Amino acid sequence: MYLLIALLIIIIGLGLVLAYEPWRQQYLTQRIFRLYRGRMPSLSPSEREALDAGTIWWEGQLFSGKPQWSTLLGYGRAALTTNESAFLNGEADTLCSLVDDWEITTQTYDLPEEAWEYIKAKGFLGLIIPTEFGGKAYSALAHSEIVRKLSTRNSALSVTVMVPNSLGPAELLLSYGTEDQKRHYLPRLARGVEIPAFALTSPWAGSDAGAIPDYGIICKGMWEGEEVVGMRVTWDKRYITLAPVCTLLGLAFRLYDPDGLLGEKEDLGITLALVPTTHEGVEIGRRHLPLDAMFMNGPTRGEDVFMPLHYIIGGVEMAGQGWRMLMECLAAGRSISLPASFCGMAALSVRAVGGYARVRTQFNTPISNFEGVQEVLARMGGNLYAMDAARSMTAHGLDLGEKPSVVSAIVKYHLTERGRAVVIDGMDIIGGKGVCLGPSNFLARAYQQLPVGITVEGANILTRSLMIFGQGAIRCHPYLLAEMRAVQEPDEARGMQAFDKAFWSHARHTTFNGLRALWHGLSGSVTAIIDTNVSPAMRPYFRRLTRYSAAFAITADAALLTLGGSLKFREHLSGRLGDMLSQLYIASAVLKRFEDEGRQPEDVALAQWAVEDALYRYEEALDGVLSNFPNKPLAVLLRIITLPLGRLAAPPSDLLNKKVAELITRPGPARDRLTAYCHLPTDDDDPLAAIEAALVAAGPVEAIEKKLRKFERSGKLDGNPMANVRDLADATYAAGGITTAEYEALQRYYALRDRVIAVDDFPGDLSSPEGRADVNRHPA
Ligand SMILES: Cc1cc2nc3c(=O)[nH]c(=O)nc-3n(C[C@H](O)[C@H](O)[C@H](O)COP(=O)(O)OP(=O)(O)OC[C@H]3O[C@@H](n4cnc5c(N)ncnc54)[C@H](O)[C@@H]3O)c2cc1C
């Protein structure tokens, strides 16, 4: 009894202190404020600029612990305009048909001239440039779909189109260029008169790009016959896409003004310039060979190259603003380019391998009937559904005016990782056919080139470990940034006021999220409010996501509280927290896709697979955080709050695997929706065209083959065991077991199937003229 009274007095006392602002500030906030000053992460200038870049979108809601589903569905459905659709189904397909992957990777080592000309003439390099400058002004979604389609054909094609339209001079000019620069360069870029490249990476600064040693010195020099103030720039860059053929080189370097010609500041900071490659001293032309992906890529160098100040993007006022400019533009470009190209490769794999698995038989049955193969096929289909959901939702976000930097890191990392998994799974299913190179191999080049996308635009390990949560926590958290700004405020009294407000709102937020996570965990989320109309089949998933969002919010808060500034060096934890946020993002994109596409009954299995997989991955990451949490008592408390009944999420069931595998191995609307906008060649010689034709023919043939087996079992073939199904067809037909029409249908199908399973062979001496000629041959 006394204990209860004492507890009550403490609670009332605490309540009074909290409610009465002067007491709260004097007895509580001030102490916490000082403690925080020592613990809050300190930010380098480049980190601060990265944090200030871009916007917060749906990921902010997920971080809040209380996502409003009406907001997500209220973003509307991403759709292409009539012009965009026509271009995607017209020019994009024509461009695909101009290239032959085998020819490019074994003979020409470059796109054919005809393709280059078509790219320039049809405006592929000006997709994001406004029409007033002669560009297409396409939406982010259209840009994404075009890159995705080109990737289903050839990587050199998609990279050549994607780079100028993402992080390149055009994007930088549009956002920061002077009017003169825009008027001069944008129409030329749109028409392909200029081929752009952008050079940031140096041999000494890859992931840590802010540390580039390339420099420019403000000085006087001669320009067009007159002495002017300009800059002498020295650079050594590598891995620069399109550099060997570019005419306009975007260049990042650190600019110094030691003689004070521009002002008092000596180190102006990272600066971006546009340099015509005809400018004296610019070295380009040599190439790297990134894993047989034959897009142009190579080094560029220059030593003490004098250039005028108007080469700086945005003019001299933008000198030193380069890092912020790059961060802003990267958020948009990174959201589109690699997510789209990996979705393209995954779509090609699902379409082709799904068909192949149905056509390829072993043990007298299509390999798609084996449960082991079905499990892998389902993983491919489910991953693709999730990938495309996240890709198109993110592109839609850009079209709504967002520049979501955290989301761009999520989709860059997770879509390239999932895309890699899909292609590797596909390779496993097609077996030896995937391993042997040749014009009939439709997957090996994609497989070979996977690491390129993993490495570029923020290498994946770094992106997962450092960027998603590292930046996401500070960017998306409803109060953390305000707290950090408050503790870093030079005026302590002002800082205290701001901190008081942010900190106690934060405390309320954390308490409520903890209570909600616990309650939803105990009640199976049945009371989680879904504030909009959703499909009954998906409602339980919306509820679980609400619970998991609250659990994520409290776990993130606990990690930030315990580790403070050191969290950014604890990449194990930060990576897993990033995974939790990412799976929430991907799962909500899947639910949105299912709703946006009109709740297609055939797609239920795909959506379920994708959400269940994401929830399972989420719990795995949460478990990893809790098991490795440095403060053990807090870890126990967190486990009680976030997983009160233990881990419940399971990987997609065997039944679900079977359903998804069936969807992607039979022609039908679900398969078509899943692999929409793949380039489907019509040329009979193309391996993908052969698979498509064989798959269509496979359905009717199934019944005839059953008839063959039945006839064989009936003993009417004199009991001869047939060596293969082809002999069986001949013998059955000869014995009158099938009609002529059925026999002919079988023969047509067998011819197609032979093409599907064909593997190329070459002369023993590949270096001989005959050997080379044979390698150079096109599919027979
Ligand atoms: C084909 C190709 C095209 C490219 N195109 C361009 C271009 O057009 N313009 C341009 O400027 N650049 C370009 N790049 C450069 C590309 O963006 C860099 O390669 C990338 O930044 C990685 O740098 P790096 O290869 O030097 O790896 P490193 O920086 O040496 O990294 C090595 C490994 O360490 C990991 N790592 C590094 N730091 C951390 C950390 N703090 N935490 C966890 N892991 C970490 C990375 O994830 C990576 O796995 C291109 C590169 C390639 C290969």
Side-chain angles (χ1 to χ4, degrees):
M1 181 67 180
Y2 287 123
L3 199 68
L4 207 65
I5 293 171
L7 201 67
L8 213 63
I9 291 172
I10 292 174
I11 291 173
I12 292 172
L14 204 64
L16 281 175
V17 172
L18 284 176
Y20 186 56
E21 193 177 299
W23 287 356
R24 185 180 70 217
Q25 291 193 355
Q26 187 182 350
Y27 296 115
L28 294 172
T29 316
Q30 230 166 50
R31 281 155 218 256
I32 302 168
F33 181 65
R34 299 219 166 101
L35 191 78
Y36 261 53
R37 279 202 163 204
R39 296 183 72 100
M40 276 282 183
S42 60
L43 297 173
S44 67
S46 58
E47 277 176 317
R48 211 184 303 264
E49 281 175 9
L51 282 175
D52 286 340
T55 58
I56 302 302
W57 190 49
W58 176 244
E59 72 282 19
Q61 295 249 355
L62 294 171
F63 221 103
S64 74
K66 211 174 172 187
Q68 301 295 303
W69 299 108
S70 56
T71 305
L72 179 74
L73 300 186
Y75 291 139
R77 186 182 176 176
L80 299 175
T81 64
T82 318
N83 274 350
E84 290 168 346
S85 282
F87 190 86
L88 186 62
N89 294 317
E91 283 87 340
D93 267 318
T94 306
L95 178 57
C96 286
S97 67
L98 295 179
V99 305
D100 176 333
D101 199 63
W102 180 247
E103 189 178 68
I104 289 173
T105 51
T106 57
Q107 297 157 54
T108 58
Y109 309 116
D110 188 7
L111 293 174
E113 194 50 42
E114 197 187 353
W116 270 110
E117 288 311 316
Y118 195 80
I119 286 172
K120 294 176 193 171
K122 296 295 175 183
F124 278 91
L125 301 183
L127 299 178
I128 61 166
I129 295 177
T131 45
E132 59 182 297
F133 297 111
K136 299 237 168 260
Y138 279 173
S139 61
L141 180 69
H143 175 190
S144 168
E145 295 293 4
I146 292 165
V147 171
R148 183 181 178 280
K149 174 170 274 190
L150 301 182
S151 296
T152 64
R153 182 66 174 169
N154 171 263
S155 63
L157 201 54
S158 62
V159 174
T160 302
V161 169
M162 142 186 140
V163 168
N165 284 298
S166 54
L167 181 63
E171 174 91 36
L172 289 163
L173 281 171
L174 279 169
S175 303
Y176 305 103
T178 62
E179 281 312 308
D180 279 352
Q181 288 171 336
K182 286 184 192 172
R183 265 200 308 275
H184 178 72
Y185 282 123
L186 289 175
R188 297 168 65 80
L189 286 164
R191 292 200 312 275
V193 177
E194 302 280 3
I195 302 288
F198 190 82
L200 170 65
T201 306
S202 92
W204 304 276
S207 299
D208 186 10
I212 42 170
D214 314 285
Y215 62 91
I217 307 285
I218 299 287
C219 62
K220 289 187 178 164
M222 295 306 287
W223 171 251
E224 293 183 341
E226 276 182 45
E227 191 184 58
V228 296
V229 175
M231 47 198 178
R232 218 167 357 92
V233 185
T234 296
W235 71 94
D236 182 357
K237 307 282 194 183
R238 67 179 181 187
Y239 303 147
I240 309 307
T241 300
L242 294 183
V245 294
C246 77
T247 59
L248 186 62
L249 182 66
L251 203 55
F253 53 89
R254 189 167 271 279
L255 189 59
Y256 298 91
D257 184 14
D259 300 329
L261 293 176
L262 295 183
E264 288 179 2
K265 206 167 166 193
E266 188 175 338
D267 178 358
L268 295 169
I270 291 181
T271 300
L272 311 183
L274 281 184
V275 189
T277 50
T278 47
H279 190 91
E280 200 182 334
V282 176
E283 282 177 43
I284 57 161
R286 293 187 65 76
R287 285 178 82 162
H288 303 301
L289 293 175
L291 292 172
D292 280 346
M294 289 299 163
F295 59 89
M296 288 292 164
N297 181 281
T300 167
R301 297 182 187 93
E303 199 177 336
D304 288 337
V305 178
F306 183 79
M307 51 186 82
L309 292 179
H310 69 253
Y311 277 13
I312 296 175
I313 301 177
V316 71
E317 300 87 72
M318 295 307 280
Q321 302 293 314
W323 193 250
R324 183 169 62 85
M325 294 158 72
L326 284 175
M327 290 302 112
E328 291 268 357
C329 290
L330 194 63
R334 193 173 53 189
S335 300
I336 296 179
S337 48
L338 289 159
S341 59
F342 272 66
C343 281
M345 287 194 278
L348 166 75
S349 310
V350 168
R351 183 121 196 151
V353 175
Y356 180 91
R358 174 88 190 287
V359 173
R360 172 70 170 165
T361 54
Q362 289 295 290
F363 307 99
N364 284 333
T365 182
I367 59 170
S368 60
N369 288 348
F370 300 121
E371 289 187 354
V373 175
Q374 285 175 353
E375 188 178 337
V376 181
L377 284 168
R379 206 159 55 212
M380 294 175 71
N383 268 322
L384 177 59
Y385 190 86
M387 289 169 69
D388 264 327
R391 175 187 65 87
S392 57
M393 177 163 123
T394 306
H396 187 48
L398 295 176
D399 285 330
L400 294 175
E402 302 290 342
K403 286 197 168 181
S405 54
V406 177
V407 165
S408 79
I410 292 176
V411 289
K412 194 282 156 167
Y413 175 77
H414 286 276
L415 272 49
T416 54
E417 288 294 337
R418 283 178 184 246
R420 166 155 73 175
V422 171
V423 175
I424 291 175
D425 275 344
M427 287 290 283
D428 286 359
I429 291 177
I430 62 175
K433 163 98 184 170
V435 171
C436 296
L437 285 174
S440 308
N441 191 328
F442 52 86
L443 203 55
R445 291 299 187 202
Y447 169 76
Q448 203 179 357
Q449 293 155 14
L450 289 171
V452 176
I454 301 290
T455 298
V456 302
E457 293 192 13
N460 273 17
I461 301 176
L462 164 99
T463 303
R464 171 177 179 263
S465 321
L466 202 65
M467 293 166 79
I468 298 178
F469 187 77
Q471 289 181 7
I474 304 173
R475 286 303 313 262
C476 304
H477 195 287
Y479 304 105
L480 190 61
L481 196 53
E483 286 169 349
M484 287 174 69
R485 289 204 168 116
V487 292
Q488 282 165 12
E489 169 70 52
D491 178 343
E492 193 170 324
R494 255 217 342 242
M496 242 289 290
Q497 281 298 335
F499 184 77
D500 182 65
K501 197 161 161 248
F503 178 80
W504 292 109
S505 305
H506 186 166
R508 256 194 312 277
H509 163 85
T510 308
T511 312
F512 282 119
N513 273 331
L515 291 173
R516 287 176 48 252
L518 177 64
W519 169 245
H520 289 324
L522 288 171
S523 63
S525 320
V526 286
T527 58
I529 294 167
I530 309 304
D531 62 339
T532 186
N533 175 24
V534 297
S535 121
M538 297 299 145
R539 183 173 286 274
Y541 296 127
F542 277 98
R543 289 191 172 132
R544 276 173 73 188
L545 279 179
T546 299
R547 171 193 158 196
Y548 284 164
S549 167
F552 168 70
I554 179 92
T555 311
D557 265 332
L560 290 163
L561 184 75
T562 322
L563 297 168
S566 71
L567 185 57
K568 72 177 171 188
F569 305 110
R570 307 291 287 264
E571 292 189 350
H572 278 126
L573 281 185
S574 173
R576 291 190 188 102
L577 286 160
D579 289 347
M580 289 168 69
L581 177 64
S582 305
Q583 298 308 334
L584 291 176
Y585 184 80
I586 292 169
S588 39
V590 167
L591 294 177
K592 178 168 163 51
R593 174 179 181 175
F594 185 75
E595 295 292 329
D596 284 352
E597 290 182 352
R599 306 177 183 175
Q600 299 295 331
E602 307 90 359
D603 293 358
V604 171
L606 283 164
Q608 284 178 333
W609 194 103
V611 186
E612 290 192 5
D613 170 74
L615 296 183
Y616 179 71
R617 293 189 201 213
Y618 169 97
E619 273 202 5
E620 190 120 297
L622 171 60
D623 193 34
V625 171
L626 300 177
S627 304
N628 294 283
F629 208 74
N631 182 326
K632 294 302 168 195
L634 189 53
V636 171
L637 182 65
L638 276 176
R639 194 174 279 279
I640 292 169
I641 293 172
T642 56
L643 295 171
L645 304 178
R647 282 184 63 181
L648 296 177
S653 67
D654 296 352
L655 188 63
L656 206 47
N657 280 341
K658 197 175 177 61
K659 284 185 188 167
V660 172
E662 272 169 14
L663 285 178
I664 65 171
T665 50
R666 284 166 199 276
R671 177 173 182 263
D672 286 343
R673 260 191 304 277
L674 186 64
T675 56
Y677 302 131
C678 268
H679 171 69
L680 296 178
T682 45
D683 174 0
D684 275 355
D685 292 334
D686 189 283
L688 189 53
I691 291 176
E692 288 294 304
L695 186 62
V696 171
V701 161
E702 225 167 52
I704 309 173
E705 286 197 325
K706 273 194 189 136
K707 223 168 150 183
L708 296 183
R709 302 272 167 228
K710 198 169 163 199
F711 197 77
E712 186 187 23
R713 281 197 302 276
S714 71
K716 292 180 189 158
L717 293 176
D718 299 335
N720 285 341
M722 291 301 148
N724 64 46
V725 73
R726 206 167 278 223
D727 297 338
L728 181 63
D730 289 342
T732 309
Y733 179 52
I738 51 173
T739 65
T740 304
E742 286 170 334
Y743 180 72
E744 282 171 3
L746 279 175
Q747 296 311 309
R748 272 196 307 277
Y749 175 64
Y750 293 153
L752 283 170
R753 193 167 66 185
D754 286 350
R755 282 228 305 281
V756 169
I757 64 164
V759 167
D760 303 284
D761 49 63
F762 303 97
D765 182 3
L766 272 179
S767 61
S768 68
E770 301 76 49
R772 289 312 309 162
D774 213 29
V775 169
N776 292 354
R777 99 191 127 93
H778 287 262

